[in-house]
């Protein structure tokens, strides 16, 4: 049997290959049913005009696409999505790298500090939004009161009801919720940087900032690229947080592409148009998805 | 030299802990609000430390709202999704790691691609599918919908955990006359168990926290999970009872805290293996 395993294309090898296919079969079948079929279906639906309550519709061909790409809604939502993604991502990276550097030091009760920092990431978005809406409350919200007590502001702030406050609040809550992902990834990488690199840099006369820019940052480049790609993809498609916190308001100023898809399908009852928006959104995302796929595949080999 | 190093260490400690407290303040505020009597809630300016502590909101939550039913629905939903996904995913990941056949690499790439797919793209066809199958408004429809994000995620994690099991162990079992599946159950499964457990816990968290599918696929209180259920309590109540909502938020987070305690040691490995989806 041992010799048979070494010989390629033996009957045993073929039997193993069959077993491998058998083991992956449930996965493939499930993925075809719940992912591939719906994906193809979305492409197909995007060529129809369908009324949601009756699910009756007719073929319109490329009309939906012409309407979507010709509409102000799409481009303004794309702009909002980009603002949200770039804003919250930048905040996550700065906060995440900073916090990881601090948590990599010798801190009292370090594992407790780490757990506390990580928790926002694991808490449900619904819970996060409820808490923040309570913090942002116009009458009893603690945030305005703390800022008044500190003498920073004179009257309570309307955090979510007007622009640009609503977008800034959204970005802040997004950063709070998702920065732990950056912390964990960076922290894991920091622990593998050899101490000698820092000793060498110190001997060469580098100060703390010099050591950060000459040693730490280059070592973090690889992991930061992956983290930025992943978070760009995830922030771009974020629905729950934005829908629950502002609902896209005030006056559609925080309405991102995923919100439009939902609104078209279940608010305006235009299933076909919704599918078109979804496909258009995916086309934009595809650039980042392909770069990530390429990098992740290369790293796996 | 030593004094200045000590000063620096104290400074780093202070800055770090100040930041940690600012970051966890919203969570602390959630707990404090849930324990505060209603009368203390509506005072201006609010006080940080409550003057008295009460559990009336928790009692009200359990007795007067459908919270417990939502909680049970979420439990059933998250458990069922986890069991299904881990059962399928473990076999699938084993196949991807240890067998060679045509199309394997393409499959692995597909798994990674679907791991990145936005649910908002799949939600319309999935909704139509559930309506056609007569599954709309059931927990089953949600279990099926949740596999769309949970299965690629679990596969991706399990794949890296299983790749970490030394191949020699398996070969040794095969030499000793074990069948391929026998070796899987006797060698791979026990070796990869920590990875499987942490994948299961991560999957449970994902399903426990899911909102969009639950919003679209389910609209009766009988089958509503916590995420949409608690939000519904906020929208339908005439005047918003924040202490009640904060109590609900605390209760909703308890399973996560328990899992979190278990996950501590696996956390970094799980993240390293492809991250937690979010």
């Amino acid at each position: 049997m041992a010799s048979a395993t070494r010989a390629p294309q033996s009957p045993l090898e073929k039997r193993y290959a069959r077993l491998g296919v058998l083991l992956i079969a449930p996965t493939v079948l499930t993925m075809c049913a719940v992912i591939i079929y719906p994906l193809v279906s979305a492409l197909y639906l995007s060529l129809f005009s369908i009324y949601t309550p009756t699910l009756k519709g007719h073929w319109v061909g490329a009309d939906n696409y012409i309407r979507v790409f010709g509409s102000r809604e799409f481009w303004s939502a794309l702009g909002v999505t980009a603002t949200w993604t770039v804003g919250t991502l930048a905040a996550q990276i700065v906060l995440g790298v900073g916090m990881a550097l601090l948590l990599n030091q010798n801190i009292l009760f370090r594992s407790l500090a780490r757990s506390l920092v990580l928790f926002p990431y694991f808490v449900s978005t619904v819970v996060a939004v409820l808490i923040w809406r309570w913090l942002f409350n116009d009458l009893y919200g603690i945030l305005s009161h703390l800022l008044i007590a500190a003498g920073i502001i004179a009257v309570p702030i309307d955090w979510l009801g007007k622009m640009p406050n609503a977008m800034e609040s959204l970005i802040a809550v997004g950063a709070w919720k998702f920065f732990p992902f950056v912390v964990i990834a960076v922290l894991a990488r920091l622990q593998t940087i050899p101490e000698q690199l820092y000793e060498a840099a110190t001997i060469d006369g580098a100060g703390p900032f010099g050591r950060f820019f000459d040693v730490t940052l280059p070592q973090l480049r690889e992991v930061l690229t992956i983290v930025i790609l992943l978070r760009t993809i995830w922030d771009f498609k974020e629905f729950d947080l934005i829908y629950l916190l502002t609902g896209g308001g005030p006056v559609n100023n925080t309405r991102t592409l995923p919100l439009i898809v939902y609104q078209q399908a279940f608010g305006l009852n235009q299933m076909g148009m919704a599918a078109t928006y979804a496909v258009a959104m995916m086309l934009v995302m595809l650039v980042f998805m392909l770069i990530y796929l390429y990098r992740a595949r290369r790293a796996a080999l | 030299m030593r004094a200045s190093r000590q000063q620096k260490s104290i400074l780093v400690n202070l800055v770090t802990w100040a930041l940690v407290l600012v970051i966890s303040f919203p969570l602390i505020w959630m707990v404090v609000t849930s324990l505060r009597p209603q009368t203390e809630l509506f005072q201006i300016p609010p006080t940080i430390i409550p003057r008295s502590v009460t559990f009336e909101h928790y009692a009200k939550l359990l007795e007067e709202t459908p919270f417990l039913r939502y909680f049970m629905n979420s439990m059933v939903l998250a458990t069922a999704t986890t069991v299904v996904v881990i059962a399928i995913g473990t076999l699938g990941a084993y196949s991807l790691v240890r067998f060679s056949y045509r199309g394997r690499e393409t499959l692995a790439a597909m798994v990674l691609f679907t791991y990145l797919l936005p649910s908002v793209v799949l939600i319309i066809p999935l909704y139509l599918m559930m309506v056609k199958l007569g599954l709309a408004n059931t927990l089953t429809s949600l279990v099926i919908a949740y596999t769309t994000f949970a299965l690629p995620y679990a596969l991706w994690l399990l794949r890296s955990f299983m790749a970490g099991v030394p191949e020699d162990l398996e070969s040794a079992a095969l030499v000793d006359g074990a069948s391929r599946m026998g070796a899987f159950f006797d060698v791979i499964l026990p070796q990869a168990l920590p990875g499987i457990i942490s994948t299961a816990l991560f999957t449970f968290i994902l399903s426990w926290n899911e909102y969009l599918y639950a919003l679209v696929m389910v609209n009766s209180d009988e089958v509503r999970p916590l995420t949409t259920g608690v939000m519904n309590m906020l929208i339908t109540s005439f005047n918003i009872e924040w202490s009640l909502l904060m109590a609900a938020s605390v209760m909703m987070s308890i399973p996560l805290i328990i899992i979190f305690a278990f996950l501590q040691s696996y956390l970094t490995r799980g993240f390293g293996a492809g991250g937690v989806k979010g």
Side-chain angles (χ1 to χ4, degrees), chain A residues 131-132 135 176, chain B residues 21-31:
Chain A
I131 298 172
W132 279 96
L135 291 167
W176 176 82
Chain B
L21 287 179
V22 169
I23 288 157
S24 30
F25 178 76
L27 299 165
I28 298 167
W29 197 237
M30 157 182 86
V31 178

Side-chain angles (χ1 to χ4, degrees), chain B residues 166-177:
Chain B
E167 227 162 323
D168 297 350
L169 288 174
E170 208 183 345
S171 315
L174 291 174
V175 169
D176 287 347

Side-chain angles (χ1 to χ4, degrees), chain B residues 96-136:
Chain B
L96 283 178
V97 170
R98 285 290 199 272
F99 292 87
S100 50
Y101 42 85
R102 266 184 49 174
R104 191 189 67 162
E105 290 308 304
T106 321
L107 254 166
M110 279 304 294
V111 171
L112 189 53
F113 172 70
T114 49
Y115 169 67
L116 303 172
L117 217 57
S119 17
V120 86
V121 174
L122 302 177
I123 196 148
I124 296 159
L126 273 174
Y127 170 77
L128 294 175
M129 195 163 111
M130 295 309 162
V131 172
K132 245 184 253 167
L133 292 173
L135 287 173

Side-chain angles (χ1 to χ4, degrees), chain A residues 16 20 24 27 34 38 55 108 115 118 121-122 124 131 134 137 140 145 176 184 234 237 239 244 271 297, chain B residues 13 17 23 26 33 42 46 95 99 105 117 124-125 128 148 155 180 209 211-212 242 256 264 267 271 276 278:
Chain A
Y16 280 168
I24 197 83
T27 302
V34 300
L55 298 180
L108 280 174
S115 304
L118 292 187
Y121 196 71
F122 288 89
S124 163
I131 298 172
W134 170 229
N137 191 283
Y140 311 107
H145 285 287
W176 176 82
I184 276 287
W234 287 337
K237 69 175 189 181
F239 175 84
L244 291 168
M271 277 277 176
R297 293 272 292 148
Chain B
N13 263 290
W17 269 100
I23 288 157
T33 306
F42 299 113
S95 170
F99 292 87
E105 290 308 304
L117 217 57
I124 296 159
L128 294 175
T148 58
L155 266 167
R180 201 70 200 246
N209 288 342
Y211 175 79
L212 178 58
W242 283 105
L256 300 183
Q264 271 293 329
L267 225 55
F271 267 78
V276 174

Side-chain angles (χ1 to χ4, degrees), chain B residues 7-277:
Chain B
Q7 273 168 358
K8 204 191 121 204
S9 156
I10 291 170
L11 188 72
V12 168
N13 263 290
L14 279 177
V15 171
T16 311
W17 269 100
L19 273 170
V20 170
L21 287 179
V22 169
I23 288 157
S24 30
F25 178 76
L27 299 165
I28 298 167
W29 197 237
M30 157 182 86
V31 178
V32 170
T33 306
S34 75
L35 295 171
R36 215 185 262 271
Q38 200 71 8
T39 47
E40 252 188 69
L41 204 59
F42 299 113
Q43 58 185 13
I44 298 172
T47 51
I48 301 274
I49 297 160
R51 270 189 296 262
S52 54
V53 163
T54 172
F55 287 95
E56 59 178 314
H57 308 299
Y58 288 89
K60 194 176 171 195
L61 189 68
L62 297 178
E63 284 159 13
E64 294 172 28
T65 69
F67 182 85
L68 265 185
R69 195 189 308 139
Y70 299 151
F71 198 93
M72 280 315 295
N73 287 340
S74 275
M75 267 296 167
V76 171
L77 191 54
T79 311
T81 308
T82 307
V83 170
V84 170
V85 161
I86 294 297
I88 300 175
T90 310
L91 297 178
Y94 178 50
S95 170
L96 283 178
V97 170
R98 285 290 199 272
F99 292 87
S100 50
Y101 42 85
R102 266 184 49 174
R104 191 189 67 162
E105 290 308 304
T106 321
L107 254 166
M110 279 304 294
V111 171
L112 189 53
F113 172 70
T114 49
Y115 169 67
L116 303 172
L117 217 57
S119 17
V120 86
V121 174
L122 302 177
I123 196 148
I124 296 159
L126 273 174
Y127 170 77
L128 294 175
M129 195 163 111
M130 295 309 162
V131 172
K132 245 184 253 167
L133 292 173
L135 287 173
N137 236 345
T138 60
L139 285 178
T140 315
S141 74
L142 287 184
V143 174
I144 296 171
Y146 286 9
T147 52
T148 58
F149 58 83
L151 184 59
Y153 167 73
L155 266 167
W156 196 241
L157 267 184
L158 287 168
R159 185 171 174 261
S160 69
F161 280 124
M162 285 196 186
V165 178
E167 227 162 323
D168 297 350
L169 288 174
E170 208 183 345
S171 315
L174 291 174
V175 169
D176 287 347
S179 70
R180 201 70 200 246
M181 284 316 279
F184 171 70
F185 284 111
D186 292 340
V187 179
I188 301 276
L189 223 44
Q191 286 283 323
L193 199 61
I196 295 172
I197 291 173
S198 67
T199 308
L201 294 175
F202 279 130
T203 308
F204 188 94
I205 294 177
L206 278 186
S207 317
W208 184 264
N209 288 342
E210 203 284 333
Y211 175 79
L212 178 58
Y213 284 122
L215 176 70
V216 169
M217 307 244 176
V218 153
N219 54 31
S220 92
D221 256 2
E222 299 304 311
V223 285
R224 225 191 283 276
L226 274 174
T227 45
T228 48
V230 169
M231 229 42 217
N232 224 38
M233 281 163 50
L234 170 75
I235 294 157
T236 52
S237 60
F238 182 68
N239 52 356
I240 298 170
E241 288 192 53
W242 283 105
S243 34
L244 196 69
L245 286 170
M246 290 302 108
S249 301
V250 172
M251 296 275 286
M252 202 174 153
S253 308
I254 285 176
L256 300 183
I257 296 170
I258 296 170
I259 291 175
F260 202 69
F262 273 108
L263 272 178
Q264 271 293 329
S265 51
Y266 301 122
L267 225 55
T268 328
R269 286 173 65 199
F271 267 78
V276 174
K277 215 172 154 73

Side-chain angles (χ1 to χ4, degrees), chain A residues 52-69:
Chain A
T52 310
T54 57
L55 298 180
K56 294 263 187 310
H58 57 91
W59 172 268
V60 294
D63 267 17
N64 284 344
Y65 284 94
I66 294 167
R67 274 172 64 191
V68 164
F69 288 120

